[in-house]
Amino acid sequence: ALLDRGQLIALDTPGALKRDLGETVLTLEAPDPPRLLTLLSERMGLHGVVQDGVVRVQGPADAALATRLLQELPADITALRIGRPTLGDVFLARTGHAIAADAAVCND
């Protein structure tokens, strides 16, 4: 179960909750994350959020997309990671905000 401010926001197994987000989460480090988020939307039709100083994009991501991003936005991306969604990603997608810094998170 995922709770936000005392309200139940999701109830399922951790695996099922993460699968609902898709197979991958793209994390991009940038000198100006809000600018990068705008460029991703305008130029590539990708939508994400700025969280903890990085841009996170959920959805299909692979080596071809990573290469294209680095070729088209070389000055705007300093690091790029492709990973599987975490329960923190599920919480962000369901609530629009990150889990509070003092809350414990299980990323299994």
Side-chain angles (χ1 to χ4, degrees), residues 1-104:
L2 289 178
L3 298 173
D4 181 31
R5 299 179 183 123
Q7 299 295 314
L8 180 66
I9 58 166
L11 181 62
D12 210 333
T13 65
L17 292 170
K18 291 185 276 187
R19 273 191 303 277
D20 284 347
L21 291 184
E23 291 294 315
T24 57
V25 173
L26 184 63
T27 303
L28 302 162
E29 294 179 22
D32 185 349
R35 171 185 156 73
L36 177 58
L37 188 59
T38 299
L39 292 171
L40 291 172
S41 177
E42 290 174 354
R43 292 189 190 178
M44 307 183 96
L46 296 173
H47 302 285
V49 297
V50 175
Q51 178 193 6
D52 298 328
V54 298
V55 175
R56 298 181 64 80
V57 178
Q58 296 160 340
D62 57 18
L65 176 60
T67 300
R68 183 173 165 219
L69 288 171
L70 293 172
Q71 288 173 342
E72 293 190 25
L73 302 168
D76 296 292
I77 299 172
T78 56
L80 180 149
R81 289 184 301 282
I82 299 173
R84 298 203 182 276
T86 66
L87 289 176
D89 295 320
V90 172
F91 189 88
L92 178 64
R94 298 280 179 121
T95 66
H97 61 88
I99 295 173
D102 60 345

